[in-house]
Amino acid sequence: MVLYHYYDKRSRPFTSLSDLSLEDAKAVLAEIKTARPGSQCAQRHDRYVEYRRNCEKILCREFEAKGGLIQRASPHYMVVEHSPWLSTWYENCGVVKIPIEEFDVRTLSFTYGDSMPTFSPTINDGREYRHTLYTYTEILGIIEKYGLPQCWNDNGKHGPERYIEVHVWSDEPICRYRGSGGA
């Protein structure tokens, strides 16, 4: 298994609004909307930062309850394998690929689909992976059962799940890739 991180090449990989104060994060998002209007990130609503932080609190609480190893206040984000849809999010897209073997899997949590719709109170379609966070071992079973969402729903016609999101709750091995601009 290879984990992917997509980013705009005008920025470093693994930079996150969640690492900034609320005011600074909103200022950066406003700048993205002006400087990179063709990017998916520029389409985010004005309360995105607050929604993201609320979701991260849920992720942290759920992962802690499963005995996950949390070494950061907010996770770094990656996805399982290549996502054609995510690769179109940035005007000047870069990608970092890291084999799962480089991670301590106790620092990884997963959602089957993006975490925000996964934990959204407005999406209640009864799918077993809704409102659920998985450990590495658990996500392997879900992948065996349903496959990778990008293989059956890359266009989003069958729901919000288009990839498996990975939450990296450590700076290792991320720190080795931060300044590299890709692997």
Side-chain angles (χ1 to χ4, degrees):
M1 178 183 294
V2 177
L3 306 186
Y4 282 63
H5 172 75
Y6 299 94
Y7 66 99
D8 189 303
K9 288 182 181 177
R10 292 170 284 189
S11 304
R12 289 183 329 151
F14 299 106
T15 56
S16 174
L17 293 174
S18 297
D19 289 336
L20 303 173
S21 70
L22 180 61
E23 184 178 285
D24 288 346
K26 285 186 167 199
V28 169
L29 188 54
E31 175 61 27
I32 289 170
K33 288 180 179 199
T34 302
R36 304 171 189 182
S39 72
Q40 182 72 22
C41 298
Q43 310 312 311
R44 292 181 170 146
H45 57 80
D46 292 336
R47 299 213 15 122
Y48 171 79
V49 176
E50 291 93 331
Y51 284 25
R52 167 55 56 201
R53 289 185 179 188
N54 181 60
C55 186
E56 287 173 347
K57 287 178 186 174
I58 295 168
L59 296 174
C60 186
R61 183 180 66 238
E62 295 289 321
F63 195 43
E64 188 173 56
K66 289 182 178 260
L69 185 57
I70 299 170
Q71 300 172 342
R72 290 181 46 84
S74 63
H76 295 290
Y77 291 94
M78 300 187 80
V79 296
V80 173
E81 302 298 343
H82 171 61
S83 168
W85 182 64
L86 277 180
S87 69
T88 68
W89 273 32
Y90 302 97
E91 294 172 352
N92 190 10
C93 188
V95 63
V96 174
K97 303 175 206 175
I98 308 175
I100 193 119
E101 293 80 13
E102 290 193 36
F103 293 90
D104 178 343
V105 295
R106 297 172 302 159
T107 66
L108 303 177
S109 62
F110 302 80
T111 50
Y112 196 81
D114 188 276
S115 56
M116 288 183 67
T118 294
F119 284 99
S120 172
T122 63
I123 300 175
N124 294 300
D125 56 15
R127 294 181 182 178
E128 76 172 283
Y129 44 80
R130 230 34 105 220
H131 307 283
T132 305
L133 180 121
Y134 298 99
T135 64
Y136 175 64
T137 303
E138 292 169 334
I139 200 64
L140 292 176
I142 295 296
I143 292 169
E144 186 174 318
K145 189 172 186 178
Y146 296 105
L148 296 174
Q150 58 264 47
C151 293
W152 59 269
N153 193 39
D154 190 57
N155 61 11
K157 286 184 180 178
H158 304 290
E161 56 279 358
R162 293 180 175 206
Y163 50 83
I164 296 171
E165 189 175 84
V166 185
H167 322 107
V168 182
W169 295 96
S170 173
D171 287 324
E172 289 298 325
I174 301 300
C175 61
R176 294 194 301 270
Y177 292 86
R178 253 197 176 133
S180 70

